[in-house]
Amino acid sequence: MKTRFFTSLVCLLVLLLALSGCTPGVTTQQPTTTGTTSGTTTQGTTAAPTTTETKPVEPVVLELFYDSPELYNGWKWGEDPVTQHITAVSGVSLNIRYAASRNHEELYTMLASGSDFPDLLYTSSFVPALYEEQYAMSLNKLADEYNPAFYDVLPYQYQEIHALEDGDIYYLNNDYSDTKKMADIPGGSRIVGVFVKNNIKWEAMGKPPLDTLEQVREVALQAKNDGAKYPVFLTSYAFSPIHDLNSLQIAKSSFAGPQFVYMQDNGVVTFNIKSDAYKKGAAYVNSLYQDGLIQADNFTFTSGNDDSVRQIAQAGDPMIVIGHEWQLRMYRQGMEREGAFMPFEPPLGEGIKRSDIVINDFNMSNIGTTGGMFVMSSTENPKACIDFLTTLLQDDIQIMKAHGREDVDFIVDYTHDKEHGRRVVTDALKADLTNMQNPEFMRKWGYYNGILRSMIMLRWTISYYNRPYHEAYPEISDDILTTFGSIYGKPFKTLNLTVKFTDSEEQLLYNNVTKEWKVGEAEMILAPNDGAFEDAYTRTIANMTKVGLTDLEKLLTERYLYWSAIIDE
Amino acid sequence: MWRRAAWRQRYLLILALPAVVWLLVFHYVPILGLQIAFKDFRFRTGIWGSQWSGLKHFLQLFRDITIVNAVRNTFAISLMKLVLLFPIPIAFALLINEIRFHRFKRVIQTVSYFPHFIAYSVVALMISILLAKNGIVNDLLLRLGLIREPYLFLGEKNAFWWIMVVTDGWKSTGWNSIIYIAALTAVPLELYEAATIDGANRYQKILRITLPYIKPTVVMLLIINMGNIVRGASFDMSYLLGNPLNMSHSEILPTYVMRTGIGLGRFSYATAVGIVQSIVSMILVVSANALSRYFSDEGLF
Amino acid sequence: MNHVKRLTTGRLKPFDIISGAMLLLFAGFVVYPFYQCLIISLSNGVDIELNGVVYLWPRVFSLESYGLVLKNPAFLIGTRNTVLRTLLGAPLSVMITAMYAYAISHRELVLRKAISTLGLVSMYFGGGLIPTFLLIRDLGLYDRFEVYLLIYTFSMFYALVLLAYFKGLPRSLEECAMIDGANEIVVFFRIILPIAKPAFAAVLLFAAVQQWNSWFDCMIYTENPQLEVLSYIFAKLLLTQNYLKQAISAEGMSAEELMALRGPITSLTIQMATMIIATAPIICIYPFLQKYFVKGIMIGSLKG
């Protein structure tokens, strides 16, 4: 009886085993070459003219370790027109392996294992071992030996800014702003983080004025009376205090706060949480909460909570959004409908003149951190690697990665901007955007590919063709652009200029300080009364100081002085 | 003399050999590797080739005030589990022992063991689903009118310790009761019979006979658990359910090692933390053993 | 058997009812979370998303999630590896451990003290994660299937359970066989193994559960997707979700990555279906082994 049970059990397991394949991959198996993705299918759809040399039909398959979780279950390189095109041009196809988390354990254990390295490695964080211990190859050496054309596409001043101690560059950064290219895009801008209103409701209300913060409060209160449960919505950057799209950072602008998260007063870096304007901005957001206009967990992103934020966005019909209107689209299917939510001029805090206000778009002034795409020195295909990187840096590929294929994903409309034109998404894409879900959408269009976009995306491409839509955002026409005068005027002044760490202890110090800020921010917004807010504010700064704010500011000041000497403005 | 004995027992020694080799290779060789806590470990040069750096990493450890949180949470979660969960398996065993229907008893017991077999990664996934804003726990509380708005369990730092305790209660009650149930079956029936004749009721019998009888087992297990207090908080749960919102209450020493050590490539530092943790753990185990000797004249080892 | 059974015959008393009810309640507390997951897995995903939780039975019954899970190649690879490591790893570790326990169950064994101390110390003090990792690397075991088997080859806890059992066996059994000319190895395999089946079954179950449920070793010691195990797939699911949902706003995440979040993460019903399939084998097996592991725990702990 019992024996039979066990026998059948074993049989069952053996069956399962047989079903699921043969022996486990005891040795690393080379992936089967993705032969189906030869370039032939793509040529018809690619608009951008590229060099027309003949490439081998069978692409070289490179292994890439992507130090972040897999975003699209099942999407593979070469399944969409954009990656197919890149493969056709560079002769390289990728086999991507993802990490399970963003905690980098796997990256470090892989390095420590000393074997089976991929050809390419992409990490957004700082990994000193990669070049200190020669795991990564000098890109200069690679370019000199295999592909001098690499220098032609390398962004302006990249070599100076991102060179390491030996003067060579080892990685291609994702967030780099090429000042020369930026200058080539006159008038180009995105809409930065700002107050946003629900235009439909606002018109229904009879277009009440929104010039001051108090008027904003009035409108929100009225919306609440009209039935919106929580009329003020903070977008998800709310939980990232050092981001310029962060709600408190935006509120601070209304009090003519310092433009940057790290103030650089006379070359001395301080965190702007200490500024009066930040405190006032935070107090304002807190007062909205005290008025019952913000839902407590609106900005708390935890597992399972995403759905509820989505629900707030969908059902609660926010009247005022402090953040980026674009972000709401994540939560509101159908909000791709332009004009539903519209940014408006920063409302003024008490005693503030419009001319006092400056808002910075950090996207446009960025040198990136120390992470990026590395070529591992163990690669057997160094030439393919550098060819691939060179291809990714090409202008046409950059634009394609950011905006898709011209004439297919978008057309350039010259009606409003006669000289430069403006990118307009095609109707076919727009239709699929609302009806289709990723990764199907991505397979078809190759657009909205976050993985691809996060690999060596230069900042200028984001604003390229991406001029404000005047019909969609009538409020943001030329007026608001004047207000945002600093957008492309002063590159390299923000975040990542100073935060370019060179050892893990610095990184840890930074993590600890911002962690305290993050925690404190929640307490500030959710303070039940003014006294509690005052406490939360003081406590946050005290906690940040306790974990090393002073040391960090000193460090950042040193960095700031160092980088400003290198960069020519 | 012993050489001849060894020859006589060569077969026994051969039987023990694989385990001994395994222990030496997989357990004692890594202990040599602990030296990297006193070195600046580099991947290429390895354990032996890296430069000595003295007590640098230990000093760093004592300077880092963020570790205070991790230490506090480690002890708090373990202590809460110890205090709140320790009596539950005993109560469960007593109840089981009072059940007369054999089949019912068997079924309840079988059911109670089941969570023990579920992996922590699965448990964490389950928790995140059950406690989600639109999950069943919130739905139930809303329907019962106990809360007015869905409660964000995993985002609330003060809830994290309780989630750990309840989860552990769920997972381990049945399993931990096995030993008490066993101890209870060993209570001589004559004692009960005598008590019945004396007119004692069942509560009195439990209080006067059963509990005193299993007291040594209880004391022993209590001491073992106290010794294990550093290891009482589950890495898997804290690692998988921790998030920026509850981090101040979810980070425990092992996740701290993960975050500040391995996640930043500071292998030496991580090892130094591990050593300190081991030492504290050893001290606790040894004192628990001393306690055990004091109470029951018998050590654990 | 039981004193209560013998002493209190006759009708149910309030005491019985209360204790019975409490136990039932507890059983519900234990089973329901899992049951909840089961009915979610059997539900239509869209229905769950729109109409919220189900309590007792799916509103819209659907086996679609199971179909999708069984078609997922990563899941099949995970299943294969988990099954393999359990089938190979658990018996291996039980065998090695039992041989050791049997050897030290002989009081007269030379070096007995040293050999058993070697094991006992291992319960309390070890090299820890990183030195062990470096050892695995140096042995060339990194990213190899063998690492799953070798990491758990020996456990002093199992050894103590088996030791207690072996000590309870009459020595005469062994002596008889020895007189017939058999050596200890033969005795161990021919006589002790069959007799000690209950203890083996218990330890085998412990080892199997450990093998089945481990995920951290997979994350740390392997990188080849072909070597992923089931429980790692869960951990990954959760970590990815955490990443997507909380880290949305983390500093490192660019607007471009955010854009990518339009894609759905693995839906609730599929997650639950994966979970049910992965836990089913152990849940189906353990009741049959109950009497063994109960005994195993008892003999293991009575020594302690």
Side-chain angles (χ1 to χ4, degrees):
Chain A
M1 205 34 215
K2 204 134 280 167
T3 339
R4 197 180 298 163
F5 169 71
F6 279 109
T7 324
S8 50
L9 188 77
V10 169
C11 287
L12 189 89
L13 292 175
V14 169
L15 199 79
L16 244 168
L17 213 81
L19 190 119
S20 51
C22 44
T23 51
V26 170
T27 51
T28 334
Q29 287 155 349
Q30 271 296 313
T32 44
T33 325
T34 45
T36 47
T37 63
S38 55
T40 45
T41 50
T42 62
Q43 300 300 31
T45 52
T46 51
T50 50
T51 39
T52 50
E53 72 266 55
T54 43
K55 292 281 174 190
V57 185
E58 201 71 356
V60 182
V61 180
L62 295 179
E63 290 249 350
L64 165 73
F65 179 77
Y66 187 80
D67 186 30
S68 214
E70 186 169 5
L71 286 170
Y72 312 104
N73 275 330
W75 171 81
K76 291 199 168 52
W77 183 275
E79 287 183 341
D80 61 274
V82 173
T83 50
Q84 281 165 6
H85 177 74
I86 296 176
T87 298
V89 174
S90 63
V92 170
S93 173
L94 290 186
N95 178 35
I96 307 177
R97 194 167 76 76
Y98 301 91
S101 74
R102 276 209 144 204
N103 306 340
H104 316 303
E105 293 96 348
E106 278 158 297
L107 170 63
Y108 280 108
T109 50
M110 186 187 75
L111 288 182
S113 78
S115 61
D116 292 336
F117 292 144
D119 301 298
L120 297 167
L121 185 146
Y122 175 77
T123 174
S124 59
S125 84
F126 161 74
V127 183
L130 279 175
Y131 44 85
E132 277 174 11
E133 305 196 30
Q134 290 94 44
Y135 284 121
M137 254 179 181
S138 152
L139 297 183
N140 291 93
K141 292 206 175 72
L142 277 175
D144 293 343
E145 194 171 343
Y146 300 105
N147 194 347
F150 176 73
Y151 292 113
D152 302 336
V153 288
L154 195 68
Y156 179 61
Q157 282 207 317
Y158 189 90
Q159 180 81 43
E160 286 90 326
I161 291 167
H162 280 282
L164 298 175
E165 281 149 32
D166 59 359
D168 284 3
I169 46 172
Y170 282 80
Y171 54 84
L172 281 186
N173 191 270
N174 184 36
D175 286 332
Y176 191 78
S177 289
D178 185 326
T179 33
K180 279 278 165 61
K181 291 259 167 57
M182 301 295 295
D184 285 346
I185 319 169
S189 169
R190 309 179 326 137
I191 290 135
V192 296
V194 71
F195 282 74
V196 178
K197 67 176 183 290
N198 183 331
N199 212 39
I200 298 163
K201 280 190 174 190
W202 180 68
E203 277 170 9
M205 271 181 194
K207 304 191 177 183
L210 288 166
D211 297 330
T212 68
L213 288 177
E214 287 317 304
Q215 284 168 344
V216 169
R217 187 200 307 278
E218 288 306 314
V219 170
L221 282 170
Q222 198 188 329
K224 193 176 167 91
N225 283 338
D226 294 348
K229 213 167 166 195
Y230 293 103
V232 178
F233 187 79
L234 313 179
T235 48
S236 61
Y237 281 111
F239 205 57
S240 175
I242 54 140
H243 203 288
D244 72 337
L245 293 185
N246 170 270
S247 301
L248 297 193
Q249 292 291 350
I250 290 168
K252 147 221 94 181
S253 304
S254 289
F255 290 96
Q259 194 179 358
F260 305 109
V261 175
Y262 314 110
M263 289 186 273
Q264 285 134 21
D265 281 346
N266 311 320
V268 181
V269 176
T270 41
F271 275 52
N272 74 0
I273 185 177
K274 293 175 176 170
S275 74
D276 197 38
Y278 183 89
K279 190 181 172 187
K280 280 184 185 160
Y284 174 73
V285 175
N286 170 248
S287 73
L288 294 179
Y289 171 73
Q290 288 187 36
D291 290 345
L293 298 170
I294 299 174
Q295 186 162 347
D297 52 64
N298 172 191
F299 62 100
T300 49
F301 282 76
T302 50
S303 52
N305 166 255
D306 183 52
D307 298 330
S308 71
V309 174
R310 190 189 306 267
Q311 277 165 14
I312 297 170
Q314 285 170 349
D317 254 21
M319 178 66 216
I320 300 290
V321 178
I322 310 180
H324 198 298
E325 59 80 38
W326 169 87
Q327 278 229 306
L328 269 175
R329 298 184 194 186
M330 283 193 340
Y331 298 112
R332 260 186 78 103
Q333 215 92 60
M335 273 193 34
E336 284 76 16
R337 192 173 75 243
E338 276 138 11
F341 282 82
M342 225 180 280
F344 57 94
E345 293 262 2
L348 302 174
E350 229 182 305
I352 303 291
K353 292 196 298 293
R354 185 153 304 276
S355 55
D356 297 338
I357 292 179
V358 271
I359 292 180
N360 167 66
D361 181 355
F362 108 120
N363 275 306
M364 298 306 131
S365 46
N366 209 328
I367 59 162
T369 45
T370 32
M373 183 83 92
F374 292 83
V375 176
M376 302 297 278
S377 38
S378 56
T379 179
E380 284 163 9
N381 272 315
K383 179 165 167 29
C385 290
I386 193 74
D387 286 352
F388 181 66
L389 297 187
T390 308
T391 309
L392 285 187
L393 284 175
Q394 274 171 230
D395 289 2
D396 54 337
I397 301 282
Q398 282 285 327
I399 291 169
M400 195 183 283
K401 268 167 39 140
H403 305 303
R405 298 150 297 168
E406 189 169 344
D407 294 336
V408 182
D409 299 54
F410 69 92
I411 49 165
V412 183
D413 173 11
Y414 290 93
T415 347
H416 301 279
D417 188 341
K418 299 222 166 21
E419 198 182 344
H420 306 284
R422 192 172 77 217
R423 184 177 61 96
V424 177
V425 175
T426 55
D427 291 339
L429 185 136
K430 217 185 274 177
D432 280 354
L433 195 56
T434 31
N435 303 326
M436 229 183 227
Q437 294 240 294
N438 267 333
E440 277 67 36
F441 177 85
M442 242 176 54
R443 286 209 180 95
K444 182 169 172 192
W445 295 92
Y447 178 44
Y448 273 134
N449 185 338
I451 297 162
L452 197 56
R453 286 187 132 213
S454 66
M455 288 191 296
I456 321 183
M457 172 75 93
L458 301 176
R459 279 293 160 187
W460 64 269
T461 50
I462 293 168
S463 64
Y464 205 73
Y465 288 141
N466 211 9
R467 326 230 189 284
Y469 293 65
H470 290 248
E471 305 96 295
Y473 306 121
E475 315 294 313
I476 313 213
S477 49
D478 304 329
D479 263 4
I480 204 156
L481 285 175
T482 327
T483 316
F484 294 5
S486 66
I487 298 173
Y488 38 87
K490 291 178 188 162
F492 305 143
K493 270 285 170 69
T494 56
L495 209 81
N496 291 334
L497 169 58
T498 35
V499 189
K500 191 170 180 305
F501 296 118
T502 49
D503 91 34
S504 49
E505 256 109 70
E506 293 172 6
Q507 180 79 49
L508 186 70
L509 181 66
Y510 176 78
N511 290 355
N512 285 340
V513 171
T514 48
K515 197 184 97 194
E516 288 302 332
W517 193 350
K518 208 180 275 189
V519 172
E521 189 198 23
E523 286 177 9
M524 281 189 267
I525 299 180
L526 298 184
N529 54 51
D530 292 350
F533 171 81
E534 200 64 41
D535 287 348
Y537 177 77
T538 328
R539 191 165 55 242
T540 306
I541 295 182
N543 285 344
M544 286 168 73
T545 313
K546 210 161 79 185
V547 295
L549 177 62
T550 323
D551 291 346
L552 183 60
E553 286 177 340
K554 215 165 87 194
L555 187 76
L556 295 183
T557 303
E558 282 168 24
R559 286 294 136 77
Y560 170 72
L561 295 173
Y562 174 73
W563 294 117
S564 359
I566 289 186
I567 294 157
D568 69 83
E569 273 186 46
Chain B
M1 173 63 201
W2 76 260
R3 198 173 291 177
R4 204 185 309 150
W7 178 247
R8 203 157 13 88
Q9 297 168 346
R10 63 190 180 279
Y11 295 110
L12 279 179
L13 290 172
I14 288 171
L15 282 176
L17 190 68
V20 170
V21 170
W22 185 90
L23 275 167
L24 289 176
V25 174
F26 285 89
H27 212 91
Y28 291 94
V29 170
I31 288 179
L32 293 178
L34 287 178
Q35 58 177 285
I36 65 168
F38 305 93
K39 286 180 163 179
D40 272 331
F41 177 74
R42 300 185 65 125
F43 297 127
R44 291 267 187 202
T45 48
I47 296 175
W48 300 97
S50 295
Q51 294 289 314
W52 289 99
S53 67
L55 290 175
K56 182 176 136 194
H57 302 291
F58 290 91
L59 294 175
Q60 228 166 44
L61 162 70
F62 291 113
R63 270 206 313 270
D64 183 3
I65 67 158
T66 57
I67 199 178
V68 174
N69 249 353
V71 171
R72 181 199 64 180
N73 295 338
T74 310
F75 280 93
I77 294 175
S78 306
L79 267 177
M80 274 171 81
K81 280 183 182 173
L82 184 62
V83 172
L84 297 169
L85 295 182
F86 187 76
I88 294 179
I90 303 174
F92 179 77
L94 287 174
L95 281 177
I96 280 282
N97 200 43
E98 297 296 324
I99 293 297
R100 287 182 292 164
F101 302 106
H102 209 65
R103 182 160 292 176
F104 177 72
K105 189 160 138 176
R106 278 283 304 225
V107 170
I108 295 279
Q109 269 177 281
T110 307
V111 163
S112 74
Y113 303 148
F114 132 83
H116 177 81
F117 296 98
I118 301 202
Y120 267 117
S121 56
V122 171
V123 174
L125 188 66
M126 222 152 91
I127 295 276
S128 77
I129 302 288
L130 296 175
L131 296 184
K133 279 294 274 266
N134 47 5
I136 186 141
V137 175
N138 267 312
D139 196 74
L140 194 69
L141 291 175
L142 280 173
R143 274 166 202 251
L144 293 175
L146 292 174
I147 50 173
R148 298 232 307 282
E149 308 226 322
Y151 188 71
L152 189 66
F153 287 96
L154 287 172
E156 178 54 63
K157 54 182 194 260
N158 296 317
F160 193 83
W161 292 354
W162 293 102
I163 294 172
M164 290 299 101
V165 170
V166 173
T167 313
D168 205 58
W170 178 78
K171 205 169 184 316
S172 65
T173 297
W175 191 255
N176 289 345
S177 71
I178 291 179
I179 190 164
Y180 298 114
I181 293 172
L184 285 171
T185 52
V187 182
L189 287 183
E190 299 78 51
L191 288 177
Y192 290 108
E193 279 159 10
T196 315
I197 292 162
D198 291 346
N201 63 26
R202 277 161 81 174
Y203 305 101
Q204 286 168 329
K205 275 186 272 186
I206 290 177
L207 276 179
R208 299 275 152 73
I209 303 171
T210 319
L211 279 179
Y213 204 87
I214 61 167
K215 197 181 127 198
T217 317
V218 173
V219 171
M220 184 70 74
L221 282 172
L222 189 64
I223 289 164
I224 293 177
N225 284 349
M226 277 158 63
N228 278 336
I229 213 158
V230 178
R231 292 185 268 183
S234 156
F235 166 80
D236 294 28
M237 295 297 273
S238 286
Y239 185 75
L240 294 174
L241 292 177
N243 62 49
L245 263 190
N246 61 25
M247 194 164 171
S248 63
H249 284 64
S250 67
E251 185 166 75
I252 56 173
L253 277 169
T255 55
Y256 171 86
V257 170
M258 232 29 199
R259 182 175 68 83
T260 61
I262 297 174
L264 287 172
R266 299 154 84 209
F267 280 32
S268 291
Y269 183 71
T271 309
V273 181
I275 289 179
V276 173
Q277 196 185 337
S278 286
I279 291 171
V280 176
S281 179
M282 279 298 264
I283 292 171
L284 283 169
V285 169
V286 169
S287 24
N289 195 46
L291 264 180
S292 156
R293 274 181 206 285
Y294 178 79
F295 278 111
S296 56
D297 298 329
E298 197 187 337
L300 303 170
F301 46 78
Chain C
M1 277 279 294
N2 188 294
H3 74 280
V4 186
K5 199 173 181 180
R6 232 202 282 166
L7 296 176
T8 56
T9 44
R11 60 199 176 78
L12 281 174
K13 293 191 176 138
F15 185 95
D16 296 300
I17 294 169
I18 293 171
S19 53
M22 282 168 76
L23 285 174
L24 269 182
L25 215 68
F26 177 79
F29 167 69
V30 164
V31 171
Y32 189 76
F34 195 75
Y35 180 72
Q36 165 74 18
C37 297
L38 180 70
I39 54 179
I40 291 180
S41 75
L42 291 171
S43 290
N44 175 303
V46 179
D47 173 64
I48 293 281
E49 198 172 304
L50 288 179
N51 301 324
V53 292
V54 283
Y55 278 83
L56 293 173
W57 193 247
R59 263 187 307 266
V60 183
F61 184 84
S62 158
L63 282 173
E64 201 193 346
S65 310
Y66 285 89
L68 286 172
V69 171
L70 290 174
K71 261 188 267 166
N72 179 359
F75 176 79
L76 293 179
I77 291 172
T79 313
R80 179 193 68 194
N81 289 333
T82 299
V83 168
L84 257 187
R85 70 179 285 186
T86 308
L87 283 185
L88 297 174
L92 175 76
S93 75
V94 170
M95 198 49 72
I96 302 278
T97 308
M99 282 154 54
Y100 169 89
Y102 179 68
I104 62 169
S105 73
H106 292 76
R107 288 207 162 274
E108 74 280 5
L109 182 69
V110 283
L111 294 176
R112 178 173 174 273
K113 189 100 188 156
I115 294 175
S116 58
T117 312
L118 216 54
L120 280 172
V121 171
S122 79
M123 288 179 86
Y124 295 101
F125 199 74
L129 181 62
I130 289 165
T132 309
F133 173 82
L134 295 173
L135 173 83
I136 295 288
R137 171 189 84 164
D138 294 344
L139 292 176
L141 288 170
Y142 181 79
D143 212 15
R144 290 177 74 92
F145 181 78
E146 290 90 322
V147 79
Y148 295 142
L149 310 180
L150 287 169
I151 280 284
Y152 299 117
T153 299
F154 174 83
S155 155
M156 194 56 194
F157 173 71
Y158 306 158
L160 287 178
V161 172
L162 292 165
L163 184 65
Y165 195 86
F166 292 149
K167 275 184 178 165
L169 294 176
R171 290 302 294 271
S172 53
L173 275 173
E174 188 187 318
E175 277 154 15
C176 284
M178 302 275 281
I179 290 165
D180 289 349
N183 64 40
E184 282 95 338
I185 298 180
V186 176
V187 171
F188 175 73
F189 285 102
R190 289 275 166 75
I191 297 170
I192 305 295
L193 266 183
I195 289 181
K197 218 163 72 187
F200 275 107
V203 173
L204 195 63
L205 179 73
F206 298 154
V209 169
Q210 182 172 38
Q211 287 283 0
W212 191 274
N213 288 348
S214 296
W215 61 275
F216 195 67
D217 46 10
C218 177
M219 174 161 137
I220 292 292
Y221 298 127
T222 70
E223 61 173 84
N224 187 345
Q226 294 291 320
L227 291 178
E228 279 182 10
V229 296
L230 270 183
S231 44
Y232 174 68
I233 293 177
F234 290 114
K236 214 161 76 166
L237 211 64
L238 209 62
L239 289 170
T240 309
Q241 247 178 52
N242 283 354
Y243 160 66
L244 290 181
K245 288 181 171 174
Q246 312 147 13
I248 277 177
S249 52
E251 300 83 285
M253 195 149 175
S254 63
E256 286 62 55
E257 278 182 290
L258 273 172
M259 226 159 198
L261 295 179
R262 284 177 39 84
I265 37 177
T266 321
S267 82
L268 192 65
T269 49
I270 294 180
Q271 287 176 31
M272 292 295 97
T274 320
M275 189 199 114
I276 299 289
I277 299 177
T279 36
I282 283 209
I283 289 174
C284 292
I285 294 169
Y286 90 89
F288 296 96
L289 298 170
Q290 182 169 338
K291 69 168 188 240
Y292 298 128
F293 68 73
V294 167
K295 203 167 247 168
I297 281 278
M298 275 154 51
I299 45 189
S301 56
L302 290 184
K303 191 260 156 195

